[in-house]
Amino acid sequence: MNFVFLFVVLAVLYLTGLPLLFLIYGSLAKAIGSLDLTGSNFVAVYTNWQTLVLFGRSLLFAVGSAFVSLVMGGAAAWLTQKTDAPLKSAATAISIISVAIPGLFLAMSWVVLAAPRAGLINVWLAQTFNLPDDLIKIYSLPGMIWVEGLAGAPFTYLLLAPILRSMDRSLEEAASVSGSGAWNRIVRISLPLAVPAIFSILILRLVRGFEAFDVPAILGLPKGIDVLSTKIYTIVNMSQSYGVANAYALGLIVLAVAGIYSYQRLIRQGYKYATVTGKGYQAAQTKLGPYKLLGAGFLVFYVLVVAAVPLSVLLWNSIIPSSMLPSGEAISQLTLQNFRLLFNMPRVLLAFRNTFIIGLVASAGCVALALVASWILVRTRIKGRWLLDVFSFVPLTIPGITLGVALIWIYLTLPLPVYGTIWILVIGYATSFLPIAMRFLSPALVQINVELEEAASTSGASQWAIFRRILAPLILPAALGAALYVFLLIFRVLSMAIVVYNPRTIVLPVQIFVMWGEARGNTVYALLVVTLAILTPFAFLYNWLIHRYARGASPGA
Amino acid sequence: MKKLMGPIVALGLVLGIWAGCGQTSATPTTAPPPPPAVTAKPIQAPTLAPTRAPTRPPTQAATRPAEKPRTRTAADLAALPLGPERQRILEEGARQEGEVMVYSSATGLDSIIDDFMNKYPFIKADVFVTRVPALIERATAESKAGRLGGDIANGPLTVYTPLQDLVVKFNSPGAQFTSAPKAATTYVGLVVFTYSTRRVNPTEVPTKVEDLLNPRWKGKLGLFAPPNTFPGLWTNMLLENLGEAKARDFLTKLSGQDLFFYDSPQIAEKALGDGQIDLNMQGSTNARRRVGEGLPLNWTAPEPSMGYVNLITLFKDSKHPHAALLLIDYILSPEAQNKISGMVGSFTTREIAAGEIDGVKLPKTIWLQTQERVKNIPQGTKIFEQLVMKK
């Protein structure tokens, strides 16, 4: 087991440390490949008052979108896991499907809805109530916060749902017997118990908000509203000034380290939040009573804004020859031509094949690493383990483009047969999503009381036996959720892959980008519809597995 | 579920090993033969196979041992004089190489590549499309490591200029060399303003840049934005043609037009098509193509206007130089150029000289990209961001 720990620690350090070294080197070097170092990039960035404005706006965007995703996803998770609200399966399945929708298209769908003078809602308001035709300003910071929040809501749901589901009802039952009302039980028992998970999600969404690119690019750039991610993107694409871009990125890392330090202090008190114990348990379900309709209404709203609307936009655009708003003329031009064209493109088939293989290997490797790393963090007292958490978190703060460039330089230098093969993409994705897998697994481990393992150890079980027979079954929903989420993200994230791919290792996000750039009519929408159709069974598989596991598994007394 | 974990992990490992063992293409093709070794000797003038009868008696020639086939670098092949012998050498070498890779920042080459592969079925051609900086970064890094994966670079001057030490001048039947001595022009265009013919009256169409300050365009005008290089070039053009004071005044007033900024022409076109904006700055290639597709659009080129070129060039460390030159020859051939013109809506020099294209009068002043002007893009971009984008 010590050998496994050492291997995992070294693997995490290798995957995340090398790009970090590149980031630091790149911020100090006069040019890539040069050993002449300078602090001029930091001076240029951090003595400019515009940087303060940029960080302030980025913070507002990150906090706002994290709040929206927490409220939307958290409320949906609570309703489906802790109450008798209807539409649970639909909400869960939609949450899974929607994580596969790229942020780019979520933003585009909201442009269709709320663009000035042309958005469906704006046009309807103008024609019906004689209001200005740009009443809803989607190209604004509030618009960005709303859409990015919606993009993060499914993720929040997927993280929080297993945690809420696994909570022991005995505490709530005891409160109920003592006369506590439903709202009191939520505020004073359920919410506090979910604090590690909520805080973990908040940190992740905050850092994701700093790093998010798709939504700020679509909704912010058209009005010159910059955040950190779009600023870095503009600098790198404009002038290849990696020094300045990396100097900005290091500022992100400082923020991330501060967040992780706070989180580490929180999980040291993890035993206070344990709800999965050696006693038998069953998840509690609160009866909503007269509020059942309200709960159902919220879930319908959640399903609509998170997935139904963007899916409708995708579907509509896939069956018309070119982009146009619904009208009689548009309906007369409905066609399946986009799908026919798609299946005559060999590169599309290659992209599907590559993405599936990379997705399977990268997600499995990433979750395996994250599981052992999380166990080291949560269960051991190894000194300096917080560094492991910091290193595993760092990739989230490295912009995808910078990570891609780092990988090119690393694997052109190291004598390993990685460059030009799909392995560079496997490594890139595993590195990129390691923090996400950790955020799935660490809170889940915190929820499992250590007494289960202590009892097994006292009875003579080895560490491997404890892991295999006690921990693994309990952590399985979170591990499956992490693996599935990473798998779906690989179908979605573009920024790293666009730098390291070549035509023979092309993946789906890159293929979509290339088709988008080639303006091949609406074939790209057809590709997205096909992708979602293929991924949807995985969503239902996840839903089935979770329900199957929750019914059948119990530690037993 | 526990029972499934083992098979799932095993399946993942098997797939991973299979995927990693050099399997990089879905289409079953035989592995291409290794490319000819690049000679380490100094580059010599290439000698063609003799076309005249040998002077020695045939009996003596028959007893001499067969000469080894000569290996040629990209530079050697690039310098071959045009003619049937060059074609023969290139085809023979390309049969051995079997593949060629294009690094391109411009999209739309796929059908040209398909036509090329139909003509030369023994060559597998691929295009790696990415943004200009990523393309430059990749080519530079690979070249430094001695592992250059591309044979040809395709893109504007902003691609060519940083890579000019990595490329070599070449001969090609259809090549036209302008301000880039080691690259040939594939198409030219102008920066124009596209407008919706449904929402804009012909009398409102701008004829000079100052017309963009008309209140008619407030909140309805789209411009290129960084990281696209056009804003920087356009700003430098205005500074040169209007004078610094007048240009800065114009740009400052332009910022008050509640502008939309797009770095992607596709998104800008969508905004124009949807009605979010009525007037959009873009390259004439896209504009002309859209008009040709029958969309209710037209374009104008206000005085002064900016021209741009798309270039193609050969990497000197190309691992498939024979195939690369055949592909360059094909792209520059009249057949492919006509197709490209139809696809991208590029202009011909004859049309530009005529002063009118598709019924649109061209401006008197057309400011062309040059290598020198490309180097000043960062300064122009900074001014654009400060005055127009208020950053």
Side-chain angles (χ1 to χ4, degrees), chain A residues 286-320:
Chain A
T286 303
K287 292 197 185 311
L288 290 174
Y291 300 107
K292 199 166 183 176
L293 198 61
L294 198 63
F298 177 83
L299 286 178
V300 168
F301 175 70
Y302 172 81
V303 165
L304 279 176
V305 296
V306 162
V309 161
L311 284 176
S312 303
V313 170
L314 280 178
L315 196 58
W316 169 251
N317 280 284
S318 72
I319 54 175
I320 51 176

Side-chain angles (χ1 to χ4, degrees), chain A residues 229-245:
Chain A
S229 58
T230 50
K231 183 70 177 176
I232 292 171
Y233 165 80
T234 305
I235 292 169
V236 168
N237 276 278
M238 186 66 222
S239 59
Q240 299 166 266
S241 181
Y242 293 108
V244 173

Side-chain angles (χ1 to χ4, degrees), chain B residues 37 76 107 239 253 263 278 300 322 327 335 349:
Chain B
D76 292 339
T107 57
L239 289 167
K253 286 176 180 167
D263 80 312
D278 290 343
T300 178
H322 297 79
L327 179 54
E335 172 193 348
T349 48

Side-chain angles (χ1 to χ4, degrees), chain A residues 183-348:
Chain A
W183 179 249
N184 210 33
R185 291 198 299 274
I186 294 167
V187 170
R188 299 189 69 178
I189 295 175
S190 303
L191 270 179
L193 284 175
V195 157
I198 291 173
F199 196 64
S200 180
I201 294 165
L202 198 62
I203 292 173
L204 198 54
R205 294 317 306 169
L206 269 174
V207 177
R208 173 64 197 156
F210 277 111
E211 201 258 348
F213 172 75
D214 293 349
V215 170
I218 297 296
L219 301 181
L221 285 182
K223 279 300 179 182
I225 302 170
D226 258 336
V227 291
L228 265 171
S229 58
T230 50
K231 183 70 177 176
I232 292 171
Y233 165 80
T234 305
I235 292 169
V236 168
N237 276 278
M238 186 66 222
S239 59
Q240 299 166 266
S241 181
Y242 293 108
V244 173
N246 289 357
Y248 276 113
L250 283 172
L252 271 181
I253 290 177
V254 168
L255 290 169
V257 168
I260 290 167
Y261 178 71
S262 307
Y263 175 71
Q264 275 294 112
R265 287 179 67 94
L266 181 70
I267 65 169
R268 269 185 214 146
Q269 305 293 317
Y271 66 91
K272 294 181 185 172
Y273 303 96
T275 59
V276 180
T277 68
K279 302 171 196 164
Y281 75 95
Q282 195 174 359
Q285 296 258 310
T286 303
K287 292 197 185 311
L288 290 174
Y291 300 107
K292 199 166 183 176
L293 198 61
L294 198 63
F298 177 83
L299 286 178
V300 168
F301 175 70
Y302 172 81
V303 165
L304 279 176
V305 296
V306 162
V309 161
L311 284 176
S312 303
V313 170
L314 280 178
L315 196 58
W316 169 251
N317 280 284
S318 72
I319 54 175
I320 51 176
S322 60
S323 293
M324 55 182 98
L325 291 176
S327 64
E329 182 191 351
I331 290 171
S332 68
Q333 295 184 38
L334 292 181
T335 176
L336 292 176
Q337 178 69 2
N338 296 321
F339 292 93
R340 277 194 286 271
L341 286 171
L342 201 62
F343 290 108
N344 285 326
M345 295 181 185
R347 194 173 285 185
V348 168

